[in-house]
């Protein structure tokens, strides 16, 4: 059992900033990669940013240079600092984690419920 809870979404004007947080809890041996995805209405879910346990990051081209992903392994938390926000960043943002579940020892992806980010022009 792994639960992911996102926070930090909201409404912001273009050019503004938001910081998303996602905390993992439950029964797991370890969390490997963590990341943020987003899905806008009528669009497919897309990877925004990912980070390995060792701190290697990758970003979608559309957010590179504006967003920064980081993690605190001691707190089992991943963050997404979003700067210079644009209206096209408007979407529901979902936290994702690849975790080793403690009860059966399986590796699987887990998802948060999502947090709405709305950027107005």
């Amino acid at each position: 059992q792994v639960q992911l809870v996102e926070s930090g979404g909201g409404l912001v004007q273009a050019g503004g900033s938001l910081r998303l947080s996602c905390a993992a809890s439950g029964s797991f041996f370890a969390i490997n990669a963590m990341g943020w995805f987003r899905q806008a209405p009528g669009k497919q879910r897309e990877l925004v940013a990912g980070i390995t346990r060792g701190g290697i990051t990758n970003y979608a081209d559309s957010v590179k240079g504006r967003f920064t992903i980081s993690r605190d392994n001691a707190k089992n938390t991943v963050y997404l600092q979003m700067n210079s926000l644009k209206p096209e960043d408007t979407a529901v943002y979902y936290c994702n984690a690849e975790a080793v579940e403690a009860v059966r020892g399986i590796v699987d992806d887990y998802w948060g419920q999502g947090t709405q980010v709305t950027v107005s022009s």
Side-chain angles (χ1 to χ4, degrees):
Q1 135 217 348
V2 180
Q3 293 85 40
L4 303 176
V5 179
E6 303 103 330
S7 62
L11 194 155
V12 66
Q13 284 191 302
S17 297
L18 286 172
R19 183 175 175 86
L20 306 183
S21 299
C22 173
S25 62
S27 299
F28 52 86
F29 290 121
I31 298 175
N32 298 326
M34 302 186 79
W36 291 93
F37 291 71
R38 68 185 181 188
Q39 188 166 23
K43 303 290 186 179
Q44 291 185 312
R45 187 172 298 187
E46 64 174 346
L47 174 68
V48 177
I51 184 168
T52 69
R53 185 165 58 181
I56 305 299
T57 60
N58 67 288
Y59 298 90
D61 288 341
S62 60
V63 308
K64 203 166 189 177
R66 300 187 295 121
F67 291 9
T68 302
I69 189 170
S70 61
R71 64 188 288 173
D72 186 335
N73 290 338
K75 295 181 178 180
N76 297 313
T77 300
V78 63
Y79 306 93
L80 186 68
Q81 179 67 47
M82 304 185 293
N83 298 326
S84 302
L85 283 162
K86 304 174 181 179
E88 52 261 45
D89 295 318
T90 295
V92 177
Y93 284 70
Y94 296 92
C95 178
N96 172 264
E98 181 186 275
V100 184
E101 194 266 334
V103 176
R104 295 185 291 167
I106 61 171
V107 179
D108 206 352
D109 287 330
Y110 298 87
W111 294 90
Q113 290 297 116
T115 184
Q116 177 71 48
V117 171
T118 303
V119 184
S120 64
S121 58

